[in-house]
């Protein structure tokens, strides 16, 4: 309400912003899934993951930290 803008990790303005947001969240979701699978591989002794290992509902939720981590991975 005060018009102060303190912290921003990513922004889009103007026509097409809905599509841009959807694409960003889609990329973050794919990145997060890949990171979790890589983490699971590192934690197993034989390097194989269970074929039925899917992200549970809480892990599939995209958070601000997920977006921040994804953007950091790009640099």
């Amino acid at each position: 309400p005060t018009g102060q803008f303190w912290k921003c990790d990513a922004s889009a303005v103007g026509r097409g912003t809905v599509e841009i947001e959807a694409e960003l969240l889609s990329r973050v979701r794919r990145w997060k899934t890949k990171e979790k699978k890589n983490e699971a591989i590192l934690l197993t002794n034989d390097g194989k993951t269970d074929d039925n290992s899917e992200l549970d509902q809480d892990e599939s939720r995209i958070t601000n930290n997920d977006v921040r981590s994804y953007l950091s991975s790009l640099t």
Side-chain angles (χ1 to χ4, degrees), residues 35-44 48-49 53:
E35 289 294 309
K36 291 294 182 183
K37 286 181 180 180
N38 288 341
E39 192 176 289
I41 289 171
L42 292 175
L43 294 176
T44 59
K48 296 180 181 177
T49 59
S53 62

Side-chain angles (χ1 to χ4, degrees), residues 9 24 28 31 64-75:
D9 294 306
L24 175 62
V28 172
W31 172 83
N64 290 341
N65 287 336
D66 295 332
V67 173
R68 200 170 291 126
S69 295
Y70 169 72
L71 293 173
S72 294
S73 77
L74 299 177
T75 59

